Amino acid sequence: MRIDVVSIFPGYFDALELSLLGKAKDKGLIDLRVHDLRDHAHDKHRKVDDTPAGGGAGMVMKPEPWGEALDGILASAADEAPGADPDPLIIFPSPAGDVFNQRMARELAHESHLVFGCGRYEGIDHRVFDEYSARGRVRLVSIGDYVLNGGEVASIAMIEAIGRLVPGVVGNPLSLVEESHEEDGLLEYPSYTKPASWRDREVPPVLLGGNHAHIEKWRHEQRIERTRQVRPDLLPRELRGESRGRHAAD
Ligand code: JEE
């Protein structure tokens, strides 16, 4: 998978080298290319922002550097994959986007080329979105209902979530198989390791008993109880029967 990122803070993406994604890069599974938007601002101050049309607080990113940066990436994609390969998908992280989730990560992991356009300030001149929507596929995506200062942290979260789903990236494919089986919307069961006793806190005895049917049953019950406690909204209808979580009085 090729991933291009455009940002005025390319250094943020050094973090991706530290983890799994660094190894995926070394293995040639993920081709991550980070571009500095300011390289496409040609005035002497390399200015990428300006005051908002119509007035208001803050600054807005000018369209011209974005046009030059994205045109360059799209042209290089057409050059390198001359076959009628599917268009790159351009993702603009935005508080106004569709909310990113595991389903979206799974869908995006099938793409061959993603481009992340990281805005700053109050965002990017909307004509950039219109231009690339007219020429190809564009999505506005939010990572959740809180306000960040720009698209970089959101892009890193999405790249990590998507990247680990690319075949070969996660060391142990069994953990992904397990994950997909557990894709029933319930939270995970609690995990333990050695020592069996730590500060007078014991690993639950069922986990040390070696009866795998009991262990599976216990883990499933833990998942349901945990979900009921902290995310009752995720409980499937058939498990919601005796739930107290859905009553207005709670
Ligand atoms: C991209 C600039 C900063 C802050 C105005 C008005 C928005 C932009 N989940 C997520 N939260 N935040 C982002 C995100 C933030 C960004 C950019 C993504 C580019 N910024 C910015 C405030 C505002 N606010 C009231 O509603 C909220 C606009 C994000 C993602 N993905």
Side-chain angles (χ1 to χ4, degrees), residues 116-131:
F116 288 86
C118 304
R120 279 268 146 182
Y121 315 109
E122 299 300 306
I124 305 169
D125 186 305
H126 200 72
R127 291 169 294 181
V128 174
F129 173 83
D130 294 336
E131 166 77 5

Side-chain angles (χ1 to χ4, degrees), residues 61 92-98 117-124 140-155 158:
M61 290 188 117
F92 291 109
S94 164
D98 301 328
C118 304
R120 279 268 146 182
Y121 315 109
E122 299 300 306
I124 305 169
L140 297 188
V141 181
S142 164
I143 62 163
D145 293 340
Y146 37 82
V147 182
L148 302 171
N149 276 332
E152 285 79 8
V153 166
S155 293
M158 290 189 269

Side-chain angles (χ1 to χ4, degrees), residues 25-216:
K25 247 189 122 179
D26 298 340
K27 286 199 252 176
L29 295 169
I30 293 179
D31 175 13
L32 178 68
R33 308 183 195 183
V34 182
H35 310 266
D36 188 341
L37 182 70
R38 285 196 199 279
D39 292 347
H40 303 279
H42 301 296
D43 65 302
K44 71 169 190 258
H45 295 110
R46 305 215 296 165
K47 188 171 141 86
V48 295
D49 62 324
D50 211 331
T51 54
M59 299 292 269
V60 175
M61 290 188 117
K62 297 162 60 59
E64 302 95 324
W66 280 103
E68 188 179 297
L70 293 172
D71 284 354
I73 290 166
L74 297 185
S76 95
D79 273 6
E80 287 179 30
D85 221 43
D87 270 339
L89 174 62
I90 305 179
I91 295 172
F92 291 109
S94 164
D98 301 328
V99 179
F100 185 78
N101 59 19
Q102 190 64 20
R103 167 182 300 223
M104 202 187 291
R106 256 187 263 115
E107 289 168 5
L108 296 176
H110 292 116
E111 295 282 342
S112 57
H113 187 188
L114 297 175
V115 180
F116 288 86
C118 304
R120 279 268 146 182
Y121 315 109
E122 299 300 306
I124 305 169
D125 186 305
H126 200 72
R127 291 169 294 181
V128 174
F129 173 83
D130 294 336
E131 166 77 5
Y132 293 94
S133 297
R135 286 168 49 183
R137 294 181 301 140
V138 173
R139 292 189 70 166
L140 297 188
V141 181
S142 164
I143 62 163
D145 293 340
Y146 37 82
V147 182
L148 302 171
N149 276 332
E152 285 79 8
V153 166
S155 293
I156 289 169
M158 290 189 269
I159 290 167
E160 187 162 308
I162 295 162
R164 65 189 289 284
L165 299 177
V166 171
V169 171
V170 164
N172 175 12
L174 198 77
S175 52
L176 287 182
V177 173
E178 227 165 73
E179 249 175 46
S180 68
H181 282 306
E182 287 169 13
E183 213 54 80
D184 50 15
L186 296 178
L187 301 180
E188 297 143 78
Y189 53 79
S191 296
Y192 302 84
T193 183
K194 291 174 279 296
S197 179
W198 176 72
R199 298 187 180 179
D200 283 337
R201 299 175 187 278
E202 314 302 321
V203 169
V206 62
L207 299 178
L208 305 175
N211 184 328
H212 287 282
H214 283 175
I215 292 171
E216 286 308 293

